[in-house]
Amino acid sequence: MREIIITESEAGGRLDKMLSKYLNEAPKSFLYKMMRKKNITLNRKKCDGSEKLKAQDTIQIFFAEETIEKFSSVKVQAVSKKKLDILYEDADVLFINKPAGMLSQKAKDTDESLVEYLIDYLLSEGKITKEQLKLCRPSVCNRLDRNTSGLIAAGKTLPGLQILSEILKDRSMHKYYQCIVLGEIREKQSICGYLYKDEKTNKVTIYQEPGEGRLLIQTEYEPLQISGGYTLLKVTLLTGRTHQIRAHLASIGHPILGDTKYGNPAANKTAKETFGVSCQLLHSWKMVLPPALPQPLTHLSGKEITAPIPERFKLVMAGTAEKAKNDTYNKKPYTC
């Protein structure tokens, strides 16, 4: 028999979901059967899996130890060591400045992504154990395209993951971006459109009229600097759709510099030859958390977290071509 005592970091989830993580090789039907037969109990009482776990709850698993080991495995992918640019960290959450070129989450089993680097960091620093990974697996709560840099919110504990995911979903966490676009924009604007995504090509098209499969989008932008035929924009997403910023700005004739999917090939070629630009100059710049957060994140209420603008942006807007092509920044991995 094995007893699991729920800690603050695992509280808040359903019992059946926790069991599916802890006994991850066992069929769900088997777990429900074991609960019905009282071979799995919660606080020594019969349970059905729908119970919401609280700190200090005790789960009893009346299996032989070899059976538990058979159904329980912790898979930790071996990855190359990456020094993460952690902008904020506490017991429950982290905010990380993701470099361009790094996946937020893996697309296939062999990929290495920020999630794997995060788990490797937490294990190597002794901040979590492999045993704890059976109950709660840290992960990112928002995603950026591989070649977009900037802020990623991540949860270390179940409450951290749940709260961050909820405020991202209900948009009470405000997100701001910066990007460099082709052409001169001199006025602040809020633009609307309708976005259609082609799932086969993973490419979106922006329309001015509604239609089947088209989703309403709204993007707000404000010019911060104009230089050499380029504009540095602050962008606010009022809706959040796949490739929204990239496609929406391209649809009004101001594609993001370096964007190979929606951008201007001639402008991209010039930017690469002149400034060494090798990916879209789009950066997740700032997150502002809502004014009232629940425990255990009350101390983050109203907090602003900012990811410094990549040096490449500054070099392009300053027009320092030779430095942009030859500086040491250009030789670092996962940068554009």
Side-chain angles (χ1 to χ4, degrees):
M1 191 270 279
R2 184 176 293 184
E3 282 195 344
I4 304 168
I5 299 175
I6 300 300
T7 67
E8 292 285 353
S9 65
E10 294 118 25
R14 281 173 54 115
L15 172 61
D16 52 1
K17 290 187 177 180
M18 192 285 294
L19 289 171
S20 292
K21 293 175 184 176
Y22 194 83
L23 301 171
N24 59 313
E25 302 290 343
K28 288 185 178 180
S29 58
F30 172 78
L31 295 176
Y32 287 118
K33 181 179 179 181
M34 292 300 98
M35 284 186 277
R36 288 196 300 272
K37 292 193 168 190
K38 296 182 71 173
N39 288 327
I40 298 176
T41 61
L42 177 63
N43 299 321
R44 301 198 175 276
K45 296 178 181 178
K46 188 174 182 180
C47 52
D48 62 16
S50 65
E51 295 83 359
K52 193 171 183 179
L53 296 170
K54 303 182 296 294
Q56 301 306 311
D57 277 348
T58 303
I59 301 164
Q60 297 84 25
I61 303 175
F62 295 97
F63 298 175
E65 198 63 29
E66 56 266 29
T67 303
I68 294 175
E69 292 302 319
K70 172 186 173 184
F71 286 134
S72 180
S73 67
V74 180
K75 297 176 182 177
V76 178
Q77 182 177 336
V79 294
S80 53
K81 291 291 181 182
K82 299 291 179 188
K83 182 173 175 55
L84 299 179
D85 184 6
I86 298 172
L87 302 171
Y88 174 85
E89 180 178 4
D90 63 26
D92 296 282
V93 300
L94 306 96
F95 289 84
I96 302 166
N97 185 13
K98 183 190 82 71
M102 182 186 287
L103 288 168
S104 299
Q105 293 179 308
K106 60 167 64 181
K108 55 183 185 294
D109 288 342
T110 55
D111 285 340
E112 291 185 11
S113 76
L114 181 55
V115 174
E116 286 70 52
Y117 300 137
L118 170 61
I119 291 173
D120 180 71
Y121 159 74
L122 294 172
L123 286 170
S124 63
E125 293 292 318
K127 298 185 177 186
I128 58 170
T129 65
K130 285 189 177 181
E131 189 69 17
Q132 287 174 309
L133 288 177
K134 292 181 180 180
L135 299 174
C136 177
R137 202 169 184 92
S139 186
V140 300
C141 299
N142 65 301
R143 289 183 291 177
L144 298 175
D145 295 333
R146 179 198 286 266
N147 288 321
T148 297
S149 60
L151 269 172
I152 293 275
K156 295 164 65 174
T157 65
L158 188 58
L161 284 164
Q162 289 176 329
I163 293 170
L164 287 180
S165 297
E166 181 60 32
I167 62 177
L168 283 161
K169 182 179 179 181
D170 67 18
R171 307 196 70 77
S172 59
M173 168 119 83
H174 298 298
K175 296 187 292 180
Y176 304 92
Y177 296 75
Q178 287 194 28
C179 62
I180 296 178
V181 299
L182 183 63
E184 297 186 358
I185 297 177
R186 298 191 175 274
E187 294 182 355
K188 181 178 179 179
Q189 294 283 345
S190 181
I191 56 174
C192 295
Y194 296 88
L195 179 149
Y196 176 81
K197 181 180 179 182
D198 186 327
E199 297 291 346
K200 292 182 179 178
T201 62
N202 193 34
K203 190 171 183 178
V204 305
T205 304
I206 307 298
Y207 297 92
Q208 292 305 307
E209 301 295 333
E212 185 177 354
R214 300 177 188 178
L215 300 173
L216 176 67
I217 57 172
Q218 188 173 3
T219 309
E220 184 177 282
Y221 58 81
E222 177 182 354
L224 301 178
Q225 183 183 352
I226 297 172
S227 177
Y230 306 132
T231 303
L232 175 66
L233 292 180
K234 171 187 170 183
V235 180
T236 306
L237 280 181
L238 302 178
T239 55
R241 308 294 185 188
T242 302
H243 300 172
Q244 178 178 325
I245 295 174
R246 296 162 61 190
H248 211 179
L249 290 173
S251 74
I252 62 168
H254 294 288
I256 293 175
L257 206 60
D259 188 346
T260 57
K261 183 166 280 190
Y262 303 102
N264 181 302
N268 290 346
K269 181 180 179 182
T270 299
K272 184 172 185 178
E273 292 172 350
T274 307
F275 300 107
V277 173
S278 59
C279 64
Q280 65 247 15
L281 296 184
L282 174 62
H283 181 71
S284 176
W285 169 54
K286 183 191 291 187
M287 289 182 176
V288 181
L289 283 81
L293 287 171
Q295 288 284 5
L297 299 188
T298 51
H299 61 288
L300 292 179
S301 298
K303 186 175 180 64
E304 292 187 8
I305 298 172
T306 302
I309 300 301
E311 190 68 18
R312 180 70 63 229
F313 282 55
K314 300 174 186 177
L315 296 171
V316 171
M317 294 310 295
T320 50
E322 289 306 312
K323 185 180 179 184
K325 286 193 293 183
N326 300 318
D327 70 350
T328 55
Y329 181 86
N330 197 35
K331 298 176 177 63
K332 292 181 183 178
Y334 296 115
T335 58
C336 62

